[in-house]
Amino acid sequence: MMGERTVMQEALFYGFSLERHVPDDHLLRRIDRFVDLSSIREHLRAYYSETGRPSVDPELMIRMLIIGYTHGIRSERRLCEEVHLNLAYRWFCRLDLAAAVPDHSTFSKNRHGRFRDSDLLRRLFEATVERCIAEGLVGGEGFAVDASLIKADANRQRGVPGSEGLPADATSHAVQEYLAVLDDAAFGAATPVAPKFISIADPASRWTAAEGGFAYFAYSTNYLIDLKHAVIMDVEATTSIRQAEVTAQRRMIERTQDRFAIWPQKLVADTGYGSAENLAWLVHERGIEPHIPVFDHSARVDDTFERADFRYDHRHDRYVCPGGKELRQYWQEGRAAKAKPPLDGLYKYRARKADCDGCALKTRCCPKEPMRKVLRSVHEGARDMARDIAKTDAYLVSRCERKKVEMLFAHLKRILKLDRLRLRGPNGAKDEFHLAATAQNLRKLAKLIPAGAPAMAG
């Protein structure tokens, strides 16, 4: 028999508990164990007035942002709607059924003011790193670093030629932030080369076609991760060129060492980080083994001898060619005594013209030059160390472990939906990258630390 039509009847009283309606295995319940926002109010106290009406609770806004970034809700307007309707979201935000949800405009006002002035989102991210360390998820022995392009909120068809610069009437928040970072090595000072196009909407973003296909405006998010469980140790926003990404790598390593007193034994990265200067910085200034392919352009395609065919004699500071002849920097002792470090960072080793003239291998060595010359970087010792490491079994393991940072970028774009920025300017990129890295670390904690389980061994 067909049932009768159900008619909703409002009850005068309800015995309702949000706590009972959130499943034990819900992601937010598992994340909530690791979210401690008790210090936020004290941290922000100096940025609030002592008079006037009470403002929206900053802890509530942060909890809502955590929901948005852990669940891939990119719009703050939609986030407010979801928190209004979803019981689990209300439970995580500590809102009862009758409590009002803040307006979406509240986030924008606080982001441009208190949150950025107090560096709150950076503090929030570092709190997740501290919790990962406390739970034993950080090994501290090996790090990996990489960068990924994230499209900027800028129309690729509305750029102006880089040689012309910005129009005089461009005065938006993003333009002001762009002017503020012109001398920053991670943005404007990363390279003297003018970009092909500049976006009026977000001039700090970089016109790039690094991934192939159509070019677009983008920022780079840089991750420094611990290899034990792929915990994000630091994150940095930069313009999308390799020089800026190498600068970000140095800043992240320095911050991690200063902030958490963790000194890794090795760093794993791709060839883009294998310049002589960067390898020397890792080896000589930080004492870190570079598990990085050496960036080397000495290979030749004309079937003549390459630099690798010349043996370097450390004891006598000379090269020996395939024909057994010497190449030296100076053939006169007086000139050697007056030598100064080269301005271009390259030592030049030359053979004797008489040795090359009578050599049967000249056609394969220097057919167009009177004598052979070999260049050696002032940082060649660090490059040699990286080459030696590349021959070990540990290096093969490192190459596999480097995929962990690439998997984090895939998770960032596919699961958290951050394949395009919603905020503009360098500060907008920093805000989004900090929140996304915070969300990924919280999800990592929720996955690896079951409810009621003791901390993992370090």
Side-chain angles (χ1 to χ4, degrees):
M1 181 175 65
M2 182 181 295
E4 296 181 359
R5 181 169 63 91
T6 302
V7 179
M8 185 181 73
Q9 295 182 353
E10 291 285 349
L12 184 59
F13 300 103
Y14 286 95
F16 186 87
S17 171
L18 279 175
E19 182 70 29
R20 294 200 304 267
H21 283 74
V22 180
D24 291 339
D25 60 349
H26 195 282
L27 176 61
L28 288 179
R29 187 179 285 279
R30 290 184 287 137
I31 284 177
D32 187 63
R33 299 172 292 142
F34 307 106
V35 178
D36 182 5
L37 304 179
S38 58
S39 63
I40 280 185
R41 290 182 182 83
E42 190 61 33
H43 180 70
L44 293 175
R45 188 174 300 278
Y47 300 90
Y48 283 88
S49 173
E50 296 294 335
T51 60
R53 294 183 303 173
S55 63
V56 176
D57 181 6
E59 180 177 342
L60 170 59
M61 287 188 284
I62 293 299
R63 285 184 174 274
M64 290 179 67
L65 288 173
I66 290 174
I67 291 174
Y69 279 84
T70 54
H71 289 73
I73 304 175
R74 303 288 297 122
S75 166
E76 287 167 0
R77 185 187 297 270
R78 182 180 162 226
L79 174 62
C80 292
E81 295 172 354
E82 292 290 335
V83 172
H84 176 71
L85 295 172
N86 192 298
L87 295 180
Y89 294 176
R90 280 184 170 271
W91 173 86
F92 184 79
C93 291
R94 308 299 191 258
L95 293 174
D96 59 33
L97 291 178
V101 176
D103 187 79
H104 65 88
S105 62
T106 305
F107 291 94
S108 178
K109 181 179 179 180
N110 282 274
R111 182 190 308 112
H112 288 292
R114 302 181 183 99
F115 289 0
R116 288 181 183 170
D117 293 342
S118 65
D119 207 15
L120 177 64
L121 300 183
R122 177 76 198 179
R123 183 184 179 94
L124 178 66
F125 165 72
E126 290 182 348
T128 66
V129 179
E130 290 177 339
R131 189 57 184 268
C132 289
I133 295 172
E135 296 290 349
L137 301 187
V138 175
E141 297 180 358
F143 284 177
V145 66
D146 205 354
S148 184
L149 296 177
I150 306 293
K151 292 181 180 179
D153 183 25
N155 192 324
R156 60 182 298 272
Q157 297 178 342
R158 294 186 180 179
V160 297
S163 57
E164 296 181 5
L166 287 173
D169 58 350
T171 58
S172 65
H173 274 295
V175 171
Q176 295 172 11
E177 292 178 13
Y178 163 71
L179 297 175
V181 297
L182 283 177
D183 295 328
D184 190 334
F187 288 98
T191 174
V193 179
K196 187 175 181 180
F197 294 104
I198 296 178
S199 168
I200 299 177
D202 192 353
S205 61
R206 191 79 179 186
W207 178 260
T208 178
E211 294 180 342
F214 292 110
Y216 54 87
F217 293 106
Y219 285 92
S220 286
T221 179
N222 299 264
Y223 277 5
L224 180 71
I225 73 164
D226 182 82
L227 290 174
K228 182 178 180 181
H229 287 292
V231 170
I232 303 172
M233 301 299 297
D234 208 336
V235 57
E236 179 92 352
T238 65
T239 189
S240 297
I241 58 174
R242 180 55 66 179
Q243 298 96 309
E245 293 165 2
V246 173
T247 297
Q249 167 233 274
R250 297 188 184 185
R251 289 180 179 179
M252 292 189 294
I253 290 176
E254 289 173 345
R255 274 200 303 257
T256 301
Q257 292 173 339
D258 294 340
R259 179 71 176 81
F260 305 111
I262 296 179
W263 294 70
Q265 297 177 6
K266 67 177 182 179
L267 179 71
V268 182
D270 59 27
T271 312
Y273 299 86
S275 65
E277 295 80 6
N278 191 50
L279 294 175
W281 182 85
L282 290 170
V283 173
H284 301 306
E285 295 191 31
R286 295 292 159 172
I288 299 174
E289 293 182 1
H291 288 232
I292 305 172
V294 177
F295 190 77
D296 194 348
H297 283 299
S298 65
R300 296 192 172 190
V301 296
D302 58 359
D303 200 33
T304 58
F305 292 131
E306 303 175 354
R307 184 175 59 191
D309 297 317
F310 291 74
R311 179 176 57 84
Y312 181 67
D313 183 349
H314 286 270
R315 181 179 179 184
H316 298 97
D317 187 24
R318 64 179 182 176
Y319 277 95
V320 179
C321 74
K325 304 298 183 180
E326 291 182 339
L327 288 82
R328 295 184 180 180
Q329 290 191 69
Y330 305 100
W331 287 95
Q332 299 177 2
E333 294 297 333
R335 292 190 61 189
K338 300 178 182 179
K340 296 181 180 180
L343 297 178
D344 59 359
L346 295 172
Y347 295 119
K348 300 172 180 61
Y349 294 77
R350 296 178 176 84
R352 292 181 183 271
K353 184 176 182 300
D355 290 336
C356 290
D357 288 340
C359 182
L361 299 176
K362 189 176 189 306
T363 55
R364 288 201 58 199
C365 187
C366 52
K368 300 179 181 180
E369 301 293 335
M371 67 192 77
R372 180 59 189 259
K373 178 175 65 176
V374 173
L375 302 180
R376 180 179 176 85
S377 170
V378 296
H379 306 301
E380 198 67 27
R383 284 158 58 92
D384 287 340
M385 179 179 181
R387 293 188 185 101
D388 292 339
I389 292 174
K391 301 174 184 177
T392 65
D393 293 337
Y395 180 82
L396 298 178
V397 175
S398 296
R399 304 315 295 165
C400 295
E401 290 180 323
R402 192 174 69 84
K403 295 179 181 178
K404 293 181 179 181
V405 67
E406 296 173 353
M407 292 173 64
L408 282 171
F409 289 139
H411 180 269
L412 175 71
K413 297 177 180 180
R414 296 179 183 178
I415 306 302
L416 304 189
K417 311 298 183 184
L418 208 162
D419 56 348
R420 181 186 178 95
L421 292 173
R422 191 177 53 81
L423 306 179
R424 291 175 174 171
N427 287 330
K430 292 176 183 177
D431 289 349
E432 293 221 56
F433 295 160
H434 277 127
L435 283 168
T438 298
Q440 288 183 293
N441 277 349
L442 287 174
R443 290 176 66 112
K444 181 77 65 177
L445 284 162
K447 177 182 178 181
L448 297 180
I449 310 296
M456 299 179 65

